[in-house]
Amino acid sequence: MALTDQLGRDTTKILVGGAEVFIGAKTSNGAAGVLFSFGYTQGPVEFMPNYEDLEVDAEQAISVVNSFTVGAKFMLAFTLLQNTLQAMRVGMRLASGNLTGTAPGTLLTFNDPTDEYFQLKFNAKGAGSLAVDPYVYWNVKLRMDGALPFAKRGVQALKMLAAIYPDSTITGVPEFAKGLYGNRAVT
Amino acid sequence: MAKLKFTLPEGAHTFYRHINPDGSFARHVDVFNGDTVDQERMSAEESKSFTDRGMATLIADGAE
């Protein structure tokens, strides 16, 4: 598609507002998962794409003569205001078996971490008719990022960092319909 | 016309690509527990994926 949505000054395209984050078990081939809201968050939900370029320098030129993309890493950061046991389990990369029982007798046991992948979605403000742009990522690994504070005048805010990986189960045409990593839709 | 009736955990949602009668579609249409969607408003692949995973069951029209 050409740069057709770059149509100059349009205040309706200025998007402001927080996003709600949802988590579900990883699915295969970009199937929509069963998603649960993390609830209230603090501060922005931050999507951070990072690229590594190999820049080629030549003796015959002052500046770089060519640049190749040789690496990419997509991250998502957000801070949960609801320090639930399930959120802590996910943040500490504990296997699901570490969370047992039913309230008020629920127990989260701290053990060695495991590798668990999730589907992650957040609903951001959008400029479509429903004013929501859902972002979905198929293959995400989460972890707590930094300290969890317990304070007289502070919330137990759980900082989360999500690494977004390509989903190798996405094949064929759906690669473009769903995206290897995920997609952003206008609704 | 068959419908898909969604059975999801309390508070959870999922989403699908809604196909309009004119062939246009809307992405990321949210559905919640108990919602029903006409089967023909969804691709066969997506409909099968939901039923195979136990997230929805096919019901006859009017059987809600």
Side-chain angles (χ1 to χ4, degrees):
Chain A
M1 180 185 284
L3 300 173
T4 51
D5 64 349
Q6 303 304 308
L7 300 175
R9 298 174 189 175
D10 181 353
T11 56
T12 68
K13 300 293 192 294
I14 299 173
L15 306 174
V16 175
E20 184 168 3
V21 185
F22 303 87
I23 185 172
K26 184 187 180 307
T27 64
S28 71
N29 200 18
V34 178
L35 297 160
F36 297 87
S37 173
F38 270 125
Y40 287 112
T41 53
Q42 183 179 58
V45 174
E46 296 179 301
F47 176 50
M48 300 172 289
N50 283 293
Y51 304 94
E52 181 188 353
D53 291 335
L54 173 67
E55 295 186 325
V56 181
D57 194 17
E59 292 298 323
Q60 294 75 23
I62 295 294
S63 61
V64 167
V65 295
N66 212 341
S67 173
F68 299 88
T69 305
V70 294
K73 190 162 192 181
F74 302 147
M75 307 290 286
L76 195 71
F78 50 95
T79 300
L80 304 178
L81 281 174
Q82 301 173 201
N83 179 24
T84 63
L85 275 72
Q86 194 67 258
M88 188 176 231
R89 179 190 79 76
V90 169
M92 291 183 68
R93 294 183 171 175
L94 296 166
S96 59
N98 286 288
L99 181 51
T100 55
T102 53
T106 323
L107 180 72
L108 180 65
T109 48
F110 299 142
N111 284 299
D112 286 338
T114 56
D115 293 320
E116 188 176 6
Y117 293 82
F118 298 92
Q119 182 174 122
L120 212 66
K121 176 188 171 195
F122 67 92
N123 285 343
K125 296 290 181 187
S129 58
L130 297 179
V132 176
D133 280 7
Y135 292 68
V136 63
Y137 303 101
W138 308 124
N139 193 26
V140 173
K141 193 173 177 182
L142 290 119
R143 68 173 169 90
M144 284 174 61
D145 185 33
L148 172 62
F150 299 88
K152 180 178 180 181
R153 292 186 176 85
V155 176
Q156 292 179 28
L158 201 61
K159 298 187 186 96
M160 301 285 269
L161 193 62
I164 300 160
Y165 298 108
D167 185 350
S168 60
T169 66
I170 303 242
T171 55
V173 175
E175 177 180 335
F176 299 101
K178 297 172 179 175
L180 279 175
Y181 294 84
N183 60 66
R184 169 192 175 182
V186 175
T187 66
Chain B
M1 180 193 311
K3 291 174 180 280
L4 260 80
K5 185 179 175 82
F6 283 83
T7 306
L8 301 170
E10 184 71 27
H13 80 280
T14 189
F15 58 92
Y16 76 103
R17 192 177 76 152
H18 184 91
I19 303 169
N20 296 310
D22 66 0
S24 64
F25 53 83
R27 295 184 190 277
H28 289 262
V29 174
D30 287 347
V31 282
F32 298 86
N33 183 41
D35 285 355
T36 58
V37 177
D38 289 344
Q39 190 184 16
E40 63 182 24
R41 299 277 71 84
M42 193 183 295
S43 73
E45 177 198 3
E46 198 160 31
S47 169
K48 184 176 185 308
S49 172
F50 284 130
T51 55
D52 283 353
R53 290 182 289 152
M55 295 166 66
T57 50
L58 271 177
I59 60 171
D61 192 18
E64 297 172 39

